[in-house]
Amino acid sequence: FQDQAEQFFRSGHTNNWAVLVCTSRFWFNYRHVANTLSVYRSVKRLGIPDSHIVLMLADDMACNPRNPKPATVFSHKNMELNVYGDDVEVDYRSYEVTVENFLRVLTGRIPPSTPRSKRLLSDDRSNILIYMTGHGGNGFLKFQDSEEITNVELADAFEQMWQKRRYNELLFIIDTCQGASMYERFYSPNIMALASSQVGEDSLSHQPDLGIGVHLMDRYTFYVLEFLEEIHPASQTNMNDLFQVCPKSLCVSTPGHRTDLFQRDPQKVLITDFFGSVRKVEITTETLSLDRDVAGFES
Amino acid sequence: QVQLVVPMAVVFAPGSVPGDLPRPLPFRDVQEMEISVNLRTSVTSRYEMRYRSTTGQEEAALAAATAREADAALHPLQDTTLGSLTMYVVPETSSLLPQGINVYVGKHRSALLRAVGSLAALQARLREVTQVMSFTATSMAAALSDRVPDGRLNPDARRDLKSSLGYEITFSLLNPDPKSHTVDWDIEGAVNRYVKPVLDKLSLVANFSVDSQILYYAVLGVTPRYDKESSSFLLSAHSLPHVINPVEARLGSSAASLYPVLNFLLYVPERSHSPLYIQDKDGAPVSTNAFHSPRWGGIMVYNVEAPASPQASLPLHVDVDMARVMEVFLAQLRLLFGLSREEVPPEFLLEGPGNEGLADWELDHLLWAHTVENIATVSTTLTSLAQLLDKIGNIVIKDDVASEVYRAVASVQSAVTKLSLGHLHAAFQASKEAVTSSERAFFDPSLLHLLYFPDDQKFAIYIPLFLPMAVPILLSLAKIVRETRQRKKEPTKMD
């Protein structure tokens, strides 16, 4: 038990945030929304509250007129898992998902009228999980079929976050074609990155559902979701296990990861350090002695 | 490179003067110490001490029966500016301090010390007292935590609340079993009587807003174990981190303010899980039945006594003893701010702060830490802003951003100057203004740079546009050049 307790204290973070972005619109990109929603569901299940999640979905699949099963988004062709659920809070939806808004959320340069739920209010003790999915290429990620974000801009945004100490540690996961190119340019400390495919490779989708008519999930995120379904808040699984998810035999593409900027050994980093929200607690041993006969202040 | 100046008066009661004073009283002395945080950052502490003997009034005050009465009597006679300290040295044989106690620290800004033979030993004791009452190397390193090289700083050191302009405090009552318990808590009265005095004292540090709520059917994330020996339910220490999460989603927070939220939860366990006790790491029940989480807040479990007769009608009416609850919550509030009294040497006696919640010197402690932290934050922010604007040459800087930057620079310089003069209050206010201005400048929405154009994209965009346009222009230019050259070769050909 002592060891477990010490583990909690070693990571140095006191709160967790998640920024989950789906960048594609149109009905045939159903799988990207399903990807994002599955990560959203895992992250909520493991304890991160909605107030600490910024969910950006570029299109609405659950209530899309082409959805034969309205108000659902499935991740598996047997319709086993409805990742849309009852309790989804989308912060940026539809046309609000733009490169500009994404960078504003990350760097904090948001107009003052933005509500609290649309902000990333992290501090120097926050561990942030950033998940992005959509269509990408060598060095860029396409937003909404009209603009793109380059790996240099992303690296600069992370550097701006680091300068203002808006994160303690950052885990970046990307599921797109040639995803590894997006983390090539990072240069800020304490970032760990995972991608679904190397430069020059395409990330493939998992399986189509003949009833719904589209591919439901991407392979990499499908196997990540399977892996995460077995994690519970007290689990001790570490990052090395996440790196093994979806080998080439299952994924066809080669997932990659980057840990050189990260200071701790990935073996010692728990999955729940990023996907869950396990807080450090201390037993309160002191009390204040109050004089009970004091008269109250009139408010 | 910040210098922190603490004005200190050391007052000798008759019979307590050490034998080896270098000069007769009164005289001044200065003690400086450098706390180096990293290669470029260091904090110098400078204690400006004035040694003198007691005045008649002070002697009369020191003739009191107990140290507490003496402290109360001396309070109107001393210098009460923020940041200053007054030390009264009483004779070794004095009965003012109990046996075995060498230092008594009062509620305000003074302490009573037992005399020692030599000046050097007295100065060692004075140094110990100032470590408790103003700031230490560790507290300065914690305030400047992002500049300390990783590895040298203990990860627990960064757990105090960060300096902020305001904090939002939310008191929540969790009643998971309304069928069995109707819980009444007079939160408004408790806030007025117990919380307001503490927040009024802390109002110097930040703005506080208080709200409260009651949540029904909110359960903890963990099922407690039943212990046959004590016939009670136990929550072990290692399951506590998982308790907070399911509740947190329902707590909510004010949509309008961006200040950090401190949550204080009072949990009344269900009838089927009563009584519920929290166990610490060694398995012993915790006397306060409460735990807290750094930078988040605290939770206290309030057990309802079983009714006298088992046939008592449900729901039972529960009147919460707010004083007992507030004693724990206010203690947790102190701990969240980093005001702990645990690391005090054994021969010190610290006076309890009473209903004000914190002693004056603890307030100073917070102000020192927050001022230094603010100054460090402002200089990091402005430096990184300057680097950003250097890197991206064509960002447009609006006038108000520029004026905020100038204001931030002026305020931070003023804060550093005031610290070196010993004016803690003015320095803190200046540092707050500096932080406000620098944050406004750094996070101005207009400073977004979407201006990265890779070189191959530039070629790919401009060549298809300009090349076809350029071809006829270049060809006709070439033709003109050829013709002029021909005309020059045969200048005299005329018909």
Side-chain angles (χ1 to χ4, degrees):
Chain A
F1 281 154
Q2 192 67 11
D3 228 87
Q4 248 176 319
E6 296 320 315
Q7 275 274 34
F8 291 141
F9 287 80
R10 222 174 276 146
S11 68
H13 69 279
T14 60
N15 56 64
N16 286 78
W17 284 81
V19 179
L20 310 174
V21 186
C22 160
T23 59
S24 336
R25 57 174 31 246
F26 305 129
W27 172 247
F28 49 82
N29 288 323
Y30 183 103
R31 58 189 186 281
H32 296 141
V33 173
N35 289 349
T36 318
L37 285 174
S38 358
V39 178
Y40 174 74
R41 172 210 149 72
S42 310
V43 144
K44 266 182 79 159
R45 191 174 57 82
L46 291 172
I48 304 186
D50 271 314
S51 54
H52 286 231
I53 302 179
V54 178
L55 178 61
M56 304 171 91
L57 295 180
D59 203 355
D60 184 6
M61 297 304 161
C63 300
N64 192 306
R66 292 169 73 171
N67 190 347
K69 303 252 183 262
T72 61
V73 174
F74 289 109
S75 67
H76 189 275
K77 70 172 180 212
N78 290 333
M79 304 205 201
E80 287 165 3
L81 194 55
N82 173 15
V83 289
Y84 198 67
D86 295 328
D87 191 18
V88 176
E89 188 185 294
V90 182
D91 300 304
Y92 285 85
R93 62 186 59 156
S94 188
Y95 290 107
E96 291 170 355
V97 179
T98 59
V99 174
E100 181 184 336
N101 280 347
F102 177 60
L103 289 181
R104 283 194 192 283
V105 165
L106 288 185
T107 55
R109 296 202 167 102
I110 287 193
S113 54
T114 316
R116 199 179 174 126
S117 59
K118 282 186 162 177
R119 291 179 188 250
L120 178 63
L121 295 170
S122 56
D123 57 29
D124 64 324
R125 308 284 265 148
S126 306
N127 273 11
I128 308 186
L129 165 71
I130 299 188
Y131 175 84
M132 301 183 77
T133 183
H135 288 289
N138 188 355
F140 66 92
L141 171 61
K142 189 171 74 158
F143 266 68
Q144 303 262 17
D145 217 21
S146 64
E147 52 178 1
E148 53 209 31
I149 186 172
T150 55
N151 49 8
V152 175
E153 284 174 336
L154 196 57
D156 283 342
F158 287 162
E159 177 63 14
Q160 288 289 295
M161 288 175 80
W162 174 250
Q163 289 283 326
K164 211 57 188 72
R165 298 293 184 276
R166 277 163 70 77
Y167 67 88
N168 175 39
E169 288 171 346
L170 201 125
L171 176 64
F172 177 74
I173 304 185
I174 185 160
D175 188 348
T176 63
C177 303
Q178 310 198 48
S181 65
M182 288 307 280
Y183 61 63
E184 274 174 357
R185 300 292 203 111
F186 291 166
Y187 55 94
S188 316
N190 289 352
I191 301 185
M192 184 170 356
L194 280 101
S196 59
S197 54
Q198 302 294 331
V199 174
E201 284 181 349
D202 288 336
S203 286
L204 301 181
S205 59
H206 191 222
Q207 49 188 204
D209 177 297
L210 297 178
I212 298 183
V214 284
H215 286 256
L216 294 181
M217 285 267 281
D218 278 329
R219 283 176 192 241
Y220 182 69
T221 309
F222 181 82
Y223 290 108
V224 167
L225 176 64
E226 233 178 44
F227 172 79
L228 288 176
E229 286 288 301
E230 279 160 38
I231 309 277
H232 57 92
S235 116
Q236 295 293 305
T237 329
N238 58 47
M239 279 295 163
N240 273 347
D241 301 325
L242 187 58
F243 294 158
Q244 311 301 334
V245 163
C246 207
K248 196 168 165 103
S249 52
L250 288 173
C251 253
V252 185
S253 58
T254 322
H257 56 267
R258 179 176 178 181
T259 53
D260 58 311
L261 295 167
F262 201 75
Q263 286 181 350
R264 293 192 289 148
D265 177 16
Q267 182 86 19
K268 298 208 176 63
V269 180
L270 299 178
I271 300 283
T272 51
D273 278 352
F274 288 103
F275 284 90
S277 176
V278 182
R279 297 194 174 271
K280 286 176 13 184
V281 296
E282 292 167 19
I283 306 279
T284 310
T285 46
E286 297 182 9
T287 48
L288 200 59
S289 54
L290 291 175
D291 179 10
R292 283 144 193 258
D293 297 324
V294 70
F297 282 69
E298 293 311 311
S299 50
Chain B
Q1 286 72 14
V2 170
Q3 196 185 58
L4 304 176
V5 169
V6 184
M8 202 160 89
V10 183
V11 182
F12 291 98
S16 65
V17 182
D20 56 344
L21 284 184
R23 308 185 270 289
L25 294 172
F27 67 93
R28 288 170 184 264
D29 189 18
V30 167
Q31 293 235 341
E32 276 197 18
M33 202 177 58
E34 180 159 335
I35 306 166
S36 148
V37 173
N38 68 22
L39 289 170
R40 286 171 304 154
T41 317
S42 64
V43 173
T44 321
S45 65
R46 189 186 154 95
Y47 291 93
E48 292 181 346
M49 310 202 278
R50 252 186 334 130
Y51 294 93
R52 62 176 175 82
S53 33
T54 48
T55 63
Q57 286 174 317
E58 288 170 342
E59 272 185 48
L62 283 170
T66 65
R68 187 187 298 184
E69 290 171 21
D71 189 50
L74 286 167
H75 176 54
L77 303 170
Q78 58 190 224
D79 178 15
T80 49
T81 44
L82 267 70
S84 64
L85 295 171
T86 315
M87 309 279 160
Y88 297 96
V89 186
V90 294
E92 261 184 81
T93 51
S94 162
S95 58
L96 215 47
L97 299 171
Q99 276 282 14
I101 299 292
N102 289 334
V103 178
Y104 167 84
V105 178
K107 278 204 296 193
H108 304 288
R109 294 187 170 88
S110 61
L112 301 176
L113 283 79
R114 203 186 282 278
V116 273
S118 69
L119 185 63
L122 181 67
Q123 285 184 338
R125 191 166 284 174
L126 281 174
R127 215 169 301 140
E128 270 187 11
V129 183
T130 51
Q131 295 274 4
V132 171
M133 287 179 81
S134 59
F135 49 82
T136 63
T138 339
S139 68
M140 282 299 119
L144 294 169
S145 59
D146 28 320
R147 293 181 178 217
V148 176
D150 279 315
R152 266 180 57 187
L153 191 63
N154 168 0
D156 285 347
R158 272 195 268 172
R159 63 181 185 210
D160 302 335
L161 285 170
K162 272 181 74 92
S163 157
S164 160
L165 295 168
Y167 301 92
E168 216 187 279
I169 298 186
T170 307
F171 292 105
S172 310
L173 173 65
L174 301 178
N175 186 355
D177 197 5
K179 287 201 284 280
S180 310
H181 300 131
T182 315
V183 187
D184 249 329
W185 72 338
D186 178 22
I187 185 67
E188 219 181 312
V191 165
N192 280 337
R193 289 170 80 187
Y194 303 119
V195 180
K196 251 186 106 5
V198 179
L199 293 185
D200 282 343
K201 190 137 187 202
L202 281 173
S203 61
L204 212 58
V205 177
N207 295 329
F208 285 89
S209 67
V210 179
D211 13 79
S212 69
Q213 61 180 343
I214 304 184
L215 289 176
Y216 292 104
Y217 294 107
V219 289
L220 300 179
V222 186
T223 322
R225 246 180 349 105
Y226 183 66
D227 180 48
K228 275 204 262 288
E229 281 175 16
S230 55
S231 45
S232 59
F233 288 85
L234 298 175
L235 271 179
S236 56
H238 70 94
S239 61
L240 292 178
H242 308 296
V243 166
I244 300 182
N245 285 329
V247 185
E248 187 175 7
R250 305 185 53 192
L251 285 177
S253 59
S254 156
S257 102
L258 296 175
Y259 292 148
V261 181
L262 302 176
N263 292 297
F264 293 101
L265 273 56
L266 185 64
Y267 183 74
V268 179
E270 303 117 308
R271 191 132 183 275
S272 53
H273 284 154
S274 286
L276 180 62
Y277 295 108
I278 298 179
Q279 269 182 328
D280 63 15
K281 276 202 273 261
D282 310 314
V286 174
S287 58
T288 55
N289 223 12
F291 62 99
H292 59 278
S293 179
R295 296 204 184 182
W296 184 80
I299 298 187
M300 177 177 174
V301 178
Y302 189 86
N303 285 314
V304 175
E305 297 103 35
S309 65
Q311 278 86 25
S313 62
L314 297 177
L316 301 166
H317 185 83
V318 180
D319 250 321
V320 178
D321 178 5
M322 291 312 293
R324 180 158 75 91
V325 167
M326 281 304 162
E327 283 181 347
V328 175
F329 280 163
L330 290 175
Q332 287 178 334
L333 180 67
R334 280 171 51 98
L335 289 171
L336 288 171
F337 271 104
L339 299 173
S340 154
R341 290 184 167 199
E342 289 186 357
E343 292 137 25
V344 165
E347 72 256 16
F348 278 53
L349 175 63
L350 265 60
E351 177 70 43
N355 281 38
E356 282 197 327
L358 60 158
D360 286 350
W361 53 269
E362 289 180 312
L363 182 64
D364 288 353
H365 202 101
L366 273 183
L367 289 177
W368 288 116
H370 283 198
T371 311
V372 171
E373 191 184 328
N374 286 349
I375 293 178
T377 312
V378 172
S379 43
T380 317
T381 308
L382 291 177
T383 318
S384 86
L385 186 59
Q387 282 173 351
L388 169 69
L389 299 176
D390 264 342
K391 207 165 77 137
I392 306 205
N394 43 359
I395 264 193
V396 173
I397 304 169
K398 295 197 304 199
D399 281 338
D400 48 349
V401 174
S403 66
E404 292 290 348
V405 173
Y406 286 134
R407 199 177 312 158
V409 171
S411 300
V412 79
Q413 282 173 341
S414 149
V416 172
T417 322
K418 297 222 166 70
L419 273 183
S420 65
L421 292 174
H423 300 152
L424 180 57
H425 190 190
F428 178 69
Q429 303 289 22
S431 73
K432 269 208 304 198
E433 278 175 30
V435 166
T436 318
S437 298
S438 67
E439 300 275 302
R440 228 179 274 152
F442 188 90
F443 286 120
D444 189 87
S446 69
L447 290 178
L448 197 66
H449 50 293
L450 291 174
L451 301 167
Y452 173 68
F453 297 118
D455 290 329
D456 48 356
Q457 274 191 16
K458 280 192 198 135
F459 281 123
I461 292 173
Y462 292 122
I463 285 185
L465 185 62
F466 289 119
L467 197 59
M469 255 170 32
V471 167
I473 296 177
L474 288 174
L475 282 180
S476 39
L477 267 177
K479 196 150 169 250
I480 294 175
V481 164
R482 230 179 299 135
E483 282 184 1
T484 25
R485 217 181 283 152
Q486 248 181 350
R487 218 180 299 138
K488 274 202 184 116
K489 270 195 205 148
E490 305 164 38
T492 52
K493 179 149 187 185
M494 282 196 307
D495 335 63

